Every structure is written in structure tokens, then in C-alpha cells.
Amino acid sequence: MYGGAGSSGKYAYVKGRDFYELHLDRPASYFGLHVSAADDSNIMRFFNHGEKVFEHFLKDFLERLGEHRAAYKGNKTYKLWWGGLSNSGQEYLFLNFFYNGGPVYDRVRFSGAFESDNHSVGNRTIMSGSYVMDSYV
């Protein structure tokens, strides 16, 4: 509905009680993605061999942004005719998930009116970006 990264091209979207999944050929320990129009219903669940290993509620990340949350509001790549940002009530951000201790997931499930783009998968040994929070099942 509000586009992927850059407000163009194809992107993943799910609404209501539906979900979509990303299946990997081999386990990984890093996952990154661009989230468009984040909201409190967005959930990501990570699985390894059918067992849920992590569950991330985007509302928890958004709350942890605190006073900086306003900086992520609105689609920065799509300005309205009067100069305002499109969809200024929701956040647009790129999230990185690093899991210490080696490969931990082989499937990711997205649910809750989730819009995402630029999914990045790998096995990282060096963390980058801003630390926000730990997450546990």
C-alpha cells in the first residue's frame, strides 16, 4: 500500500490474519529488511527446522526509539505536492537482526499488515548499525 524502499517496484505485503514466509536453503545468523509503514501489528517469527527460535514485535522496537521515533515517521522518498511526507503517521526504517552463536534460522514468517522490501540474509561476524534491544522467545 505504501510502497517498498524508494516507493517503487515490487515489495512484500500482507494484511489481516494472513502471513508470508521466507524459506532459506541453509540456516543464517543475520537478517535485514526495509520496513514500510510500520505499525503495532507487525510481527516477525524466526524458525529453525520447524521450531520457533525468535519472535520480534515491531511495536517493541518502535517504542525503544523513544524521542527519536519521530525521525522515522513518513515516507522520506515520496513527498506530497505541498512538500509534506507521505504517510507521516507511520515509521519507515531498515532493521538489522544479528544472532550470536552461529546460524539460527532457516525460515522467517511475517504477519500483521506487514510491508517490507530489500530482505538481506547472511552469516555476519561483525555487527553494524545502532543497537536497539535484545529479543527472546
Side-chain angles (χ1 to χ4, degrees):
M1 289 185 40
Y2 291 102
S7 296
S8 64
K10 296 182 179 183
Y11 60 96
Y13 170 72
V14 65
K15 64 180 181 174
R17 296 178 186 264
D18 293 334
F19 64 88
Y20 63 89
E21 292 185 332
L22 173 66
H23 294 260
L24 306 179
D25 291 336
R26 60 182 180 254
S29 63
Y30 165 77
F31 185 71
L33 76 161
H34 177 269
V35 178
S36 295
D39 65 44
D40 289 348
S41 71
N42 296 154
I43 303 169
M44 289 187 299
R45 292 181 175 96
F46 292 78
F47 297 85
N48 193 21
H49 301 294
E51 179 182 335
K52 183 170 65 174
V53 292
F54 293 103
E55 184 172 67
H56 298 286
F57 295 83
L58 251 54
K59 69 178 182 169
D60 295 335
F61 288 102
L62 298 174
E63 288 170 3
R64 293 290 295 247
L65 292 173
E67 65 187 49
H68 304 289
R69 188 170 177 173
Y72 295 92
K73 297 260 186 197
N75 189 340
K76 310 285 190 276
T77 60
Y78 184 76
K79 300 223 184 225
L80 300 173
W81 63 271
W82 66 84
L85 297 176
S86 172
N87 194 33
S88 60
Q90 291 179 293
E91 292 81 8
Y92 289 72
L93 61 162
F94 195 93
L95 294 174
N96 295 291
F97 296 89
F98 298 91
Y99 301 105
N100 295 325
V104 296
Y105 76 95
D106 58 13
R107 177 170 50 110
V108 184
R109 178 180 291 173
F110 304 86
S111 60
F114 211 112
E115 299 171 60
S116 63
D117 197 0
N118 295 343
H119 299 131
S120 304
V121 174
N123 289 299
R124 306 279 298 189
T125 57
I126 300 173
M127 292 177 51
S128 61
S130 299
Y131 174 81
V132 178
M133 67 186 290
D134 289 327
S135 181
Y136 305 95
V137 173

